[in-house]
């Protein structure tokens, strides 16, 4: 059985990605979503105002996870292994798509604007959180010997997709600033590459890791920049989520270990 994961899912791009998967995936594919609290409320919000069959709604599984706590991630991983990835019961059980999207932004304009605590918080949430998620969920991807079946709405190979950003590109950095955010997203790109090398050795063509750049999305993370962003470049979470899933599902083996934007263009290292 193939299953999917979106973490966190309570708001923003993670919320939109979860709803998109619920609308488009076969009812047989579970969607695990996470939140730090108010699980019932998050589940109600995820299911509100979208037309789903009873089976489509029933496969949504909202679980508690604080991505800043490794113990919380371990607890979630243990639950998912027992519920969805127990290969003693189903040898084909595997995580088909893991969307790991935690993020925050503090836009420091100059070195003297960097504050230690906020920079550390940025690095923890943007880089260490996905690193711990990769640590505890990469083992659920299909093994090299597995034979993957095609699933509508899902990529050909199993995939861990980590949220990066264009400003994480060192080669594309022409403006400077945003020190902690740029550094954390550059670190995500390195994490993607190293993880993908590992998956290539262990899982072969059955699993890969990629980075994603969603564009400037109208969420709380980018709220300070809504007015300064051209309207045609400020995306709704729904548009960005749909675009990213299209990109993910269209990636071939040659696209592994790299960062891709919402329009399917590579973000340079």
């Amino acid at each position: 059985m193939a299953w999917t994961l979106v973490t966190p899912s309570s708001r923003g791009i993670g919320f939109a990605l979860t709803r998109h998967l619920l609308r488009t995936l076969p009812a047989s594919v579970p969607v695990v979503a996470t939140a730090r609290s108010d699980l019932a409320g998050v589940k109600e919000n995820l299911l509100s105002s979208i037309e789903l069959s009873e089976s489509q709604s029933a496969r949504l599984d909202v679980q508690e996870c604080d991505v800043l706590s490794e113990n919380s991630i371990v607890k979630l991983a243990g639950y998912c292994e027992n519920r969805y990835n127990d290969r003693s019961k189903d040898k084909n059980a595997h995580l088909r798509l893991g969307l790991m999207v935690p993020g925050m932004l503090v836009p420091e304009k100059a070195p003297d604007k960097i504050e230690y605590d906020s920079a550390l918080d940025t690095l923890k949430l943007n880089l260490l959180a996905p690193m711990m998620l990769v640590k505890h969920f990469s083992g659920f991807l299909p093994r090299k010997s597995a034979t993957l079946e095609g699933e509508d709405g899902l990529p050909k190979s199993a995939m861990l997709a980590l949220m990066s950003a264009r400003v994480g590109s060192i080669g594309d950095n022409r403006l400077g600033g945003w020190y902690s955010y740029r550094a954390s997203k550059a670190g995500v790109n390195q994490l993607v590459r190293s993880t993908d090398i590992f998956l290539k050795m262990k899982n072969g063509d059955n699993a890969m890791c990629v980075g994603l750049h969603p564009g400037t999305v109208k969420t709380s993370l980018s709220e300070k920049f809504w007015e300064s962003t051209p309207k045609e470049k400020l995306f709704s979470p729904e548009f960005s989520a749909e675009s990213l899933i299209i990109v993910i599902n269209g990636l071939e083996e040659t696209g592994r270990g790299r960062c891709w934007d919402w329009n399917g263009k590579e973000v340079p290292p």
Side-chain angles (χ1 to χ4, degrees), residues 2 92-96 141-151 155-159 203 205-207:
N92 293 318
H94 66 274
L95 173 61
R96 189 60 164 263
L141 296 168
R143 297 166 180 170
K144 188 182 294 187
S145 59
T147 300
L148 297 190
E149 296 181 0
E151 293 280 2
K156 298 175 185 177
S157 300
M159 192 173 300
N203 303 76
D205 296 342
N206 278 341

PDB file of all heavy atoms in Angstrom, residues 2 92-96 141-151 155-159 203 205-207:
ATOM      1  N   ALA A   2       0.570   2.171  -0.864  1.00  0.00           N
ATOM      2  CA  ALA A   2       1.259   3.458  -0.885  1.00  0.00           C
ATOM      3  C   ALA A   2       0.511   4.450  -0.001  1.00  0.00           C
ATOM      4  O   ALA A   2      -0.720   4.417   0.086  1.00  0.00           O
ATOM      5  CB  ALA A   2       1.344   3.981  -2.313  1.00  0.00           C
ATOM      6  N   ASN A  92       4.665  -4.558   0.171  1.00  0.00           N
ATOM      7  CA  ASN A  92       4.703  -3.422  -0.743  1.00  0.00           C
ATOM      8  C   ASN A  92       4.368  -2.095  -0.070  1.00  0.00           C
ATOM      9  O   ASN A  92       4.240  -1.069  -0.747  1.00  0.00           O
ATOM     10  CB  ASN A  92       3.738  -3.651  -1.908  1.00  0.00           C
ATOM     11  CG  ASN A  92       4.176  -4.797  -2.797  1.00  0.00           C
ATOM     12  OD1 ASN A  92       5.349  -4.944  -3.102  1.00  0.00           O
ATOM     13  ND2 ASN A  92       3.222  -5.626  -3.202  1.00  0.00           N
ATOM     14  N   ALA A  93       4.227  -2.104   1.245  1.00  0.00           N
ATOM     15  CA  ALA A  93       3.917  -0.864   1.960  1.00  0.00           C
ATOM     16  C   ALA A  93       5.068   0.125   1.818  1.00  0.00           C
ATOM     17  O   ALA A  93       6.233  -0.234   2.007  1.00  0.00           O
ATOM     18  CB  ALA A  93       3.659  -1.165   3.432  1.00  0.00           C
ATOM     19  N   HIS A  94       4.750   1.366   1.475  1.00  0.00           N
ATOM     20  CA  HIS A  94       5.811   2.369   1.343  1.00  0.00           C
ATOM     21  C   HIS A  94       5.231   3.774   1.322  1.00  0.00           C
ATOM     22  O   HIS A  94       4.084   3.986   0.958  1.00  0.00           O
ATOM     23  CB  HIS A  94       6.611   2.141   0.055  1.00  0.00           C
ATOM     24  CG  HIS A  94       5.831   2.370  -1.198  1.00  0.00           C
ATOM     25  ND1 HIS A  94       5.064   1.393  -1.780  1.00  0.00           N
ATOM     26  CD2 HIS A  94       5.701   3.467  -1.983  1.00  0.00           C
ATOM     27  CE1 HIS A  94       4.494   1.861  -2.883  1.00  0.00           C
ATOM     28  NE2 HIS A  94       4.855   3.130  -3.029  1.00  0.00           N
ATOM     29  N   LEU A  95       6.048   4.707   1.749  1.00  0.00           N
ATOM     30  CA  LEU A  95       5.742   6.130   1.630  1.00  0.00           C
ATOM     31  C   LEU A  95       5.998   6.541   0.189  1.00  0.00           C
ATOM     32  O   LEU A  95       7.126   6.463  -0.293  1.00  0.00           O
ATOM     33  CB  LEU A  95       6.626   6.933   2.591  1.00  0.00           C
ATOM     34  CG  LEU A  95       6.550   8.459   2.482  1.00  0.00           C
ATOM     35  CD1 LEU A  95       5.137   8.959   2.761  1.00  0.00           C
ATOM     36  CD2 LEU A  95       7.553   9.104   3.453  1.00  0.00           C
ATOM     37  N   ARG A  96       4.968   6.978  -0.510  1.00  0.00           N
ATOM     38  CA  ARG A  96       5.112   7.321  -1.927  1.00  0.00           C
ATOM     39  C   ARG A  96       5.460   8.791  -2.122  1.00  0.00           C
ATOM     40  O   ARG A  96       6.189   9.154  -3.040  1.00  0.00           O
ATOM     41  CB  ARG A  96       3.828   6.988  -2.672  1.00  0.00           C
ATOM     42  CG  ARG A  96       3.917   7.100  -4.191  1.00  0.00           C
ATOM     43  CD  ARG A  96       4.997   6.153  -4.758  1.00  0.00           C
ATOM     44  NE  ARG A  96       4.853   5.972  -6.180  1.00  0.00           N
ATOM     45  CZ  ARG A  96       4.237   4.949  -6.749  1.00  0.00           C
ATOM     46  NH1 ARG A  96       3.688   4.002  -5.980  1.00  0.00           N
ATOM     47  NH2 ARG A  96       4.153   4.845  -8.043  1.00  0.00           N
ATOM     48  N   LEU A 141      10.542   4.654   2.487  1.00  0.00           N
ATOM     49  CA  LEU A 141      10.483   4.678   1.026  1.00  0.00           C
ATOM     50  C   LEU A 141      10.691   3.266   0.470  1.00  0.00           C
ATOM     51  O   LEU A 141      11.296   2.414   1.134  1.00  0.00           O
ATOM     52  CB  LEU A 141      11.542   5.633   0.474  1.00  0.00           C
ATOM     53  CG  LEU A 141      11.341   7.102   0.870  1.00  0.00           C
ATOM     54  CD1 LEU A 141      12.592   7.921   0.539  1.00  0.00           C
ATOM     55  CD2 LEU A 141      10.122   7.704   0.192  1.00  0.00           C
ATOM     56  N   PRO A 142      10.211   2.972  -0.728  1.00  0.00           N
ATOM     57  CA  PRO A 142      10.315   1.612  -1.276  1.00  0.00           C
ATOM     58  C   PRO A 142      11.759   1.198  -1.521  1.00  0.00           C
ATOM     59  O   PRO A 142      12.585   1.991  -1.976  1.00  0.00           O
ATOM     60  CB  PRO A 142       9.533   1.693  -2.590  1.00  0.00           C
ATOM     61  CG  PRO A 142       9.548   3.136  -2.950  1.00  0.00           C
ATOM     62  CD  PRO A 142       9.519   3.879  -1.653  1.00  0.00           C
ATOM     63  N   ARG A 143      12.052  -0.049  -1.230  1.00  0.00           N
ATOM     64  CA  ARG A 143      13.403  -0.573  -1.405  1.00  0.00           C
ATOM     65  C   ARG A 143      13.735  -0.745  -2.878  1.00  0.00           C
ATOM     66  O   ARG A 143      12.852  -0.737  -3.748  1.00  0.00           O
ATOM     67  CB  ARG A 143      13.519  -1.904  -0.669  1.00  0.00           C
ATOM     68  CG  ARG A 143      13.323  -1.774   0.836  1.00  0.00           C
ATOM     69  CD  ARG A 143      13.113  -3.118   1.502  1.00  0.00           C
ATOM     70  NE  ARG A 143      12.927  -2.983   2.947  1.00  0.00           N
ATOM     71  CZ  ARG A 143      12.534  -3.966   3.727  1.00  0.00           C
ATOM     72  NH1 ARG A 143      12.270  -5.162   3.213  1.00  0.00           N
ATOM     73  NH2 ARG A 143      12.383  -3.773   5.029  1.00  0.00           N
ATOM     74  N   LYS A 144      15.011  -0.931  -3.130  1.00  0.00           N
ATOM     75  CA  LYS A 144      15.479  -1.074  -4.516  1.00  0.00           C
ATOM     76  C   LYS A 144      14.821  -2.257  -5.207  1.00  0.00           C
ATOM     77  O   LYS A 144      14.567  -2.230  -6.422  1.00  0.00           O
ATOM     78  CB  LYS A 144      17.004  -1.227  -4.522  1.00  0.00           C
ATOM     79  CG  LYS A 144      17.636  -1.188  -5.898  1.00  0.00           C
ATOM     80  CD  LYS A 144      19.150  -1.388  -5.812  1.00  0.00           C
ATOM     81  CE  LYS A 144      19.831  -0.231  -5.109  1.00  0.00           C
ATOM     82  NZ  LYS A 144      21.313  -0.345  -5.166  1.00  0.00           N
ATOM     83  N   SER A 145      14.522  -3.308  -4.453  1.00  0.00           N
ATOM     84  CA  SER A 145      13.954  -4.526  -5.038  1.00  0.00           C
ATOM     85  C   SER A 145      12.447  -4.440  -5.270  1.00  0.00           C
ATOM     86  O   SER A 145      11.860  -5.321  -5.899  1.00  0.00           O
ATOM     87  CB  SER A 145      14.245  -5.721  -4.129  1.00  0.00           C
ATOM     88  OG  SER A 145      13.688  -5.514  -2.839  1.00  0.00           O
ATOM     89  N   ALA A 146      11.803  -3.386  -4.762  1.00  0.00           N
ATOM     90  CA  ALA A 146      10.351  -3.276  -4.868  1.00  0.00           C
ATOM     91  C   ALA A 146       9.926  -2.953  -6.299  1.00  0.00           C
ATOM     92  O   ALA A 146      10.656  -2.312  -7.054  1.00  0.00           O
ATOM     93  CB  ALA A 146       9.844  -2.192  -3.923  1.00  0.00           C
ATOM     94  N   THR A 147       8.736  -3.403  -6.646  1.00  0.00           N
ATOM     95  CA  THR A 147       8.134  -3.064  -7.937  1.00  0.00           C
ATOM     96  C   THR A 147       6.995  -2.094  -7.685  1.00  0.00           C
ATOM     97  O   THR A 147       5.994  -2.448  -7.046  1.00  0.00           O
ATOM     98  CB  THR A 147       7.603  -4.319  -8.645  1.00  0.00           C
ATOM     99  OG1 THR A 147       8.688  -5.231  -8.863  1.00  0.00           O
ATOM    100  CG2 THR A 147       6.987  -3.949  -9.980  1.00  0.00           C
ATOM    101  N   LEU A 148       7.161  -0.854  -8.153  1.00  0.00           N
ATOM    102  CA  LEU A 148       6.154   0.165  -7.893  1.00  0.00           C
ATOM    103  C   LEU A 148       5.037   0.101  -8.923  1.00  0.00           C
ATOM    104  O   LEU A 148       5.282  -0.041 -10.122  1.00  0.00           O
ATOM    105  CB  LEU A 148       6.790   1.558  -7.922  1.00  0.00           C
ATOM    106  CG  LEU A 148       7.863   1.862  -6.874  1.00  0.00           C
ATOM    107  CD1 LEU A 148       8.210   3.338  -6.893  1.00  0.00           C
ATOM    108  CD2 LEU A 148       7.420   1.444  -5.489  1.00  0.00           C
ATOM    109  N   GLU A 149       3.820   0.231  -8.435  1.00  0.00           N
ATOM    110  CA  GLU A 149       2.669   0.315  -9.317  1.00  0.00           C
ATOM    111  C   GLU A 149       2.308   1.787  -9.528  1.00  0.00           C
ATOM    112  O   GLU A 149       2.482   2.615  -8.633  1.00  0.00           O
ATOM    113  CB  GLU A 149       1.476  -0.425  -8.714  1.00  0.00           C
ATOM    114  CG  GLU A 149       1.702  -1.920  -8.548  1.00  0.00           C
ATOM    115  CD  GLU A 149       0.486  -2.618  -7.965  1.00  0.00           C
ATOM    116  OE1 GLU A 149      -0.518  -1.912  -7.708  1.00  0.00           O
ATOM    117  OE2 GLU A 149       0.542  -3.840  -7.783  1.00  0.00           O
ATOM    118  N   GLY A 150       1.831   2.105 -10.711  1.00  0.00           N
ATOM    119  CA  GLY A 150       1.428   3.472 -10.980  1.00  0.00           C
ATOM    120  C   GLY A 150       0.222   3.865 -10.146  1.00  0.00           C
ATOM    121  O   GLY A 150      -0.687   3.065  -9.939  1.00  0.00           O
ATOM    122  N   GLU A 151       0.239   5.068  -9.621  1.00  0.00           N
ATOM    123  CA  GLU A 151      -0.881   5.598  -8.844  1.00  0.00           C
ATOM    124  C   GLU A 151      -1.265   6.951  -9.435  1.00  0.00           C
ATOM    125  O   GLU A 151      -0.432   7.854  -9.561  1.00  0.00           O
ATOM    126  CB  GLU A 151      -0.486   5.778  -7.370  1.00  0.00           C
ATOM    127  CG  GLU A 151      -0.219   4.496  -6.611  1.00  0.00           C
ATOM    128  CD  GLU A 151      -1.502   3.808  -6.168  1.00  0.00           C
ATOM    129  OE1 GLU A 151      -2.597   4.325  -6.486  1.00  0.00           O
ATOM    130  OE2 GLU A 151      -1.407   2.759  -5.507  1.00  0.00           O
ATOM    131  N   PRO A 155       3.841  10.634  -8.153  1.00  0.00           N
ATOM    132  CA  PRO A 155       5.011  10.491  -9.035  1.00  0.00           C
ATOM    133  C   PRO A 155       5.342   9.026  -9.318  1.00  0.00           C
ATOM    134  O   PRO A 155       4.955   8.125  -8.565  1.00  0.00           O
ATOM    135  CB  PRO A 155       6.130  11.174  -8.247  1.00  0.00           C
ATOM    136  CG  PRO A 155       5.696  11.131  -6.822  1.00  0.00           C
ATOM    137  CD  PRO A 155       4.193  11.241  -6.851  1.00  0.00           C
ATOM    138  N   LYS A 156       6.075   8.819 -10.410  1.00  0.00           N
ATOM    139  CA  LYS A 156       6.466   7.461 -10.798  1.00  0.00           C
ATOM    140  C   LYS A 156       7.343   6.820  -9.733  1.00  0.00           C
ATOM    141  O   LYS A 156       7.203   5.644  -9.410  1.00  0.00           O
ATOM    142  CB  LYS A 156       7.215   7.510 -12.128  1.00  0.00           C
ATOM    143  CG  LYS A 156       6.396   8.040 -13.289  1.00  0.00           C
ATOM    144  CD  LYS A 156       7.256   8.167 -14.543  1.00  0.00           C
ATOM    145  CE  LYS A 156       6.472   8.803 -15.685  1.00  0.00           C
ATOM    146  NZ  LYS A 156       7.323   8.997 -16.886  1.00  0.00           N
ATOM    147  N   SER A 157       8.293   7.593  -9.220  1.00  0.00           N
ATOM    148  CA  SER A 157       9.149   7.135  -8.131  1.00  0.00           C
ATOM    149  C   SER A 157       8.652   7.738  -6.822  1.00  0.00           C
ATOM    150  O   SER A 157       8.064   8.823  -6.814  1.00  0.00           O
ATOM    151  CB  SER A 157      10.599   7.571  -8.364  1.00  0.00           C
ATOM    152  OG  SER A 157      11.118   7.038  -9.555  1.00  0.00           O
ATOM    153  N   ALA A 158       8.884   7.056  -5.726  1.00  0.00           N
ATOM    154  CA  ALA A 158       8.579   7.644  -4.426  1.00  0.00           C
ATOM    155  C   ALA A 158       9.468   8.864  -4.220  1.00  0.00           C
ATOM    156  O   ALA A 158      10.590   8.928  -4.742  1.00  0.00           O
ATOM    157  CB  ALA A 158       8.803   6.622  -3.323  1.00  0.00           C
ATOM    158  N   MET A 159       8.977   9.824  -3.437  1.00  0.00           N
ATOM    159  CA  MET A 159       9.698  11.085  -3.368  1.00  0.00           C
ATOM    160  C   MET A 159       9.570  11.752  -2.005  1.00  0.00           C
ATOM    161  O   MET A 159       8.487  11.801  -1.418  1.00  0.00           O
ATOM    162  CB  MET A 159       9.159  12.033  -4.452  1.00  0.00           C
ATOM    163  CG  MET A 159      10.010  13.272  -4.667  1.00  0.00           C
ATOM    164  SD  MET A 159       9.420  14.216  -6.093  1.00  0.00           S
ATOM    165  CE  MET A 159       9.595  13.007  -7.414  1.00  0.00           C
ATOM    166  N   ASN A 203      17.960   2.910  -2.527  1.00  0.00           N
ATOM    167  CA  ASN A 203      16.644   2.640  -3.103  1.00  0.00           C
ATOM    168  C   ASN A 203      16.643   2.603  -4.624  1.00  0.00           C
ATOM    169  O   ASN A 203      15.609   2.291  -5.228  1.00  0.00           O
ATOM    170  CB  ASN A 203      15.639   3.693  -2.636  1.00  0.00           C
ATOM    171  CG  ASN A 203      15.522   3.784  -1.135  1.00  0.00           C
ATOM    172  OD1 ASN A 203      16.395   4.348  -0.493  1.00  0.00           O
ATOM    173  ND2 ASN A 203      14.469   3.239  -0.558  1.00  0.00           N
ATOM    174  N   ASP A 205      16.227   3.524  -8.397  1.00  0.00           N
ATOM    175  CA  ASP A 205      15.304   4.412  -9.095  1.00  0.00           C
ATOM    176  C   ASP A 205      13.942   4.501  -8.417  1.00  0.00           C
ATOM    177  O   ASP A 205      13.073   5.255  -8.873  1.00  0.00           O
ATOM    178  CB  ASP A 205      15.106   3.939 -10.541  1.00  0.00           C
ATOM    179  CG  ASP A 205      16.394   4.014 -11.353  1.00  0.00           C
ATOM    180  OD1 ASP A 205      17.319   4.723 -10.918  1.00  0.00           O
ATOM    181  OD2 ASP A 205      16.461   3.365 -12.414  1.00  0.00           O
ATOM    182  N   ASN A 206      13.749   3.764  -7.336  1.00  0.00           N
ATOM    183  CA  ASN A 206      12.436   3.738  -6.695  1.00  0.00           C
ATOM    184  C   ASN A 206      12.177   4.925  -5.781  1.00  0.00           C
ATOM    185  O   ASN A 206      11.034   5.126  -5.352  1.00  0.00           O
ATOM    186  CB  ASN A 206      12.272   2.451  -5.883  1.00  0.00           C
ATOM    187  CG  ASN A 206      11.858   1.289  -6.753  1.00  0.00           C
ATOM    188  OD1 ASN A 206      11.366   1.474  -7.860  1.00  0.00           O
ATOM    189  ND2 ASN A 206      12.059   0.073  -6.261  1.00  0.00           N
ATOM    190  N   ALA A 207      13.209   5.713  -5.463  1.00  0.00           N
ATOM    191  CA  ALA A 207      12.993   6.846  -4.559  1.00  0.00           C
ATOM    192  C   ALA A 207      13.996   7.946  -4.863  1.00  0.00           C
ATOM    193  O   ALA A 207      15.139   7.679  -5.241  1.00  0.00           O
ATOM    194  CB  ALA A 207      13.124   6.406  -3.101  1.00  0.00           C
TER     195      ALA A 207
END
